[in-house]
């Protein structure tokens, strides 16, 4: 595992405690965590849509090199780059 001061170790410990039913939150804290997660997911979804919009490349001209460059940038924006 990691050292005790490692943030990942702390999160892993909390995950294990939650899985074992040993982690409890008061209702207000649980609601705040749920709301924060919902907000974060909404932001991630927005960023994903924006990235997909960036994949719509046009205006590079008719040269083969321009089409290839447009394809490369499109794949990078959409996360399809190899």
């Amino acid at each position: 595992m990691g050292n005790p001061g490692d943030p990942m170790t702390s999160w892993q410990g909390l995950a294990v405690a939650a899985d074992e039913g040993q982690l409890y939150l008061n209702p207000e804290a649980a609601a705040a965590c749920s709301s924060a997660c919902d907000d974060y997911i909404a932001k991630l979804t927005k960023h994903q849509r924006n990235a997909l919009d960036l994949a719509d490349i046009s205006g590079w001209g008719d040269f083969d090199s321009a089409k290839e460059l447009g394809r490369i940038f499109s794949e990078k924006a959409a996360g399809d780059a190899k």
Side-chain angles (χ1 to χ4, degrees):
M1 203 112 150
N3 70 43
D6 182 12
M8 187 53 114
T9 303
S10 298
W11 285 112
Q12 289 169 337
L14 290 172
V16 169
D19 288 343
E20 294 175 352
Q22 299 172 352
L23 180 67
Y24 300 95
L25 294 174
N26 65 45
E28 294 82 15
C33 288
S34 178
S35 178
C37 288
D38 289 342
D39 291 345
Y40 188 63
I41 290 169
K43 288 178 184 178
L44 288 175
T45 301
K46 180 182 174 192
H47 291 311
Q48 182 182 39
R49 278 193 304 267
N50 289 342
L52 291 174
D53 288 344
L54 290 173
D56 185 18
I57 304 289
S58 63
W60 287 86
D62 294 328
F63 290 115
D64 289 340
S65 60
K67 290 177 184 177
E68 179 68 9
L69 190 58
R71 182 189 64 76
I72 290 169
F73 285 143
S74 177
E75 288 177 355
K76 284 184 180 279
D80 296 334
K82 294 177 179 126

